[in-house]
Amino acid sequence: YARTEWFEGMAGGRRALLLLASGAGGGLLYAQGAPEALEPVLDEVRPFRRSYFTFEAAHEDLVHRRFMLRQIQYLARMHVDGQRFISAESRAVPLGPAEVDRVNALYSTDSGAWISRRQLGEQSYYGVWEDGRLASVAGTQSISRPQGIAVVANVMTHPDYRDRGYATQCVGALTAALLREVRDVVLNVAPENAPAIRVYQRLGYREVCRLAEGWAFWRGKSRWDRVLAALYDWFGH
């Protein structure tokens, strides 16, 4: 949080929020809210020239006028709270730093995700073991207890153990544990990933919005800014 800045926009009683944060390879941007309230904020700030930008899909035209966008993907944001959550019988157990090699070995089979020992110690991860192997796992990207929200991420089942309900067990156990500490739990999923969406829906998650995210090269406010943006875009390929 020490490396983040928040900006608020207001227009006609409607609000928008923009987050700027320093991150690997440039900046991180996140935007949500009413487009008419977001537009003046985007015009006022000076973001990193190259950022990974997550925004509501409805903002894409607004964002594209100010950034060159590359490798955009679309995501369904899903949410559950204590009233909507549907618990499921589960064999999933908590995972800690001692299991980091097992977790990363699982991710290496079909994911690309990688987590550190520190992340396993600070975040919350649950897994199902089968035949002495870690068959399925679900973890968190972020937990903010003061704000009462957690983000589920890095859900994966080994190809040899799919279609056995293990992902449901992991996400269910993780969500139950999180809801004992926070009010809201959210996650992102590709809209075309119907099996994963069904898993989350069985646990009470529902879609609340569509997001888009990808690399964004700031077009800037001057001719020199536009030249630099074009160079960043060129070398970014």
Side-chain angles (χ1 to χ4, degrees), residues 33-100:
E36 62 271 28
L38 178 61
E39 187 165 16
V41 177
L42 289 174
D43 287 337
E44 290 175 12
V45 301
R46 293 189 65 89
F48 289 91
R49 296 196 180 277
R50 180 178 186 267
S51 301
Y52 198 79
F53 201 161
T54 301
F55 50 89
E56 292 184 54
H59 297 153
E60 186 166 353
D61 289 343
L62 181 69
V63 171
H64 185 68
R65 293 199 295 271
R66 292 157 179 85
F67 295 85
M68 290 183 288
L69 302 175
R70 298 291 181 265
Q71 301 175 24
I72 295 296
Q73 61 177 331
Y74 300 93
L75 301 166
R77 166 62 59 89
M78 303 187 75
H79 164 265
V80 74
D81 57 20
Q83 291 184 323
R84 295 184 58 87
F85 177 62
I86 303 168
S87 62
E89 185 176 348
S90 177
R91 294 170 42 211
V93 296
L95 302 174
E99 285 81 36
V100 65

Side-chain angles (χ1 to χ4, degrees), residues 81-182:
D81 57 20
Q83 291 184 323
R84 295 184 58 87
F85 177 62
I86 303 168
S87 62
E89 185 176 348
S90 177
R91 294 170 42 211
V93 296
L95 302 174
E99 285 81 36
V100 65
D101 291 337
R102 298 288 193 94
V103 172
N104 284 322
L106 173 57
Y107 286 144
S108 70
T109 61
D110 192 28
S111 170
W114 185 90
I115 61 169
S116 67
R117 190 178 300 273
R118 177 184 59 80
Q119 284 175 285
L120 267 179
E122 293 178 354
Q123 299 294 325
S124 184
Y125 275 74
Y126 276 73
V128 169
W129 297 86
E130 189 68 65
D131 306 321
R133 300 170 65 186
L134 185 60
S136 187
V137 66
T140 49
Q141 186 179 62
S142 177
I143 305 173
S144 181
R145 293 174 180 86
Q147 282 72 40
I149 190 166
V151 183
V152 171
N154 297 331
V155 180
M156 184 183 164
T157 300
H158 192 283
D160 292 344
Y161 296 99
R162 290 177 181 168
D163 301 318
R164 303 189 189 185
Y166 290 164
T168 304
Q169 293 183 37
C170 288
V171 177
L174 174 62
T175 304
L178 292 171
L179 287 173
R180 289 193 287 269
E181 299 185 70
V182 300

Side-chain angles (χ1 to χ4, degrees), residues 219 222-232:
R219 297 182 187 275
S222 67
R223 180 176 299 178
W224 177 239
D225 285 333
R226 290 191 290 273
V227 170
L228 288 176
L231 289 173
Y232 269 87

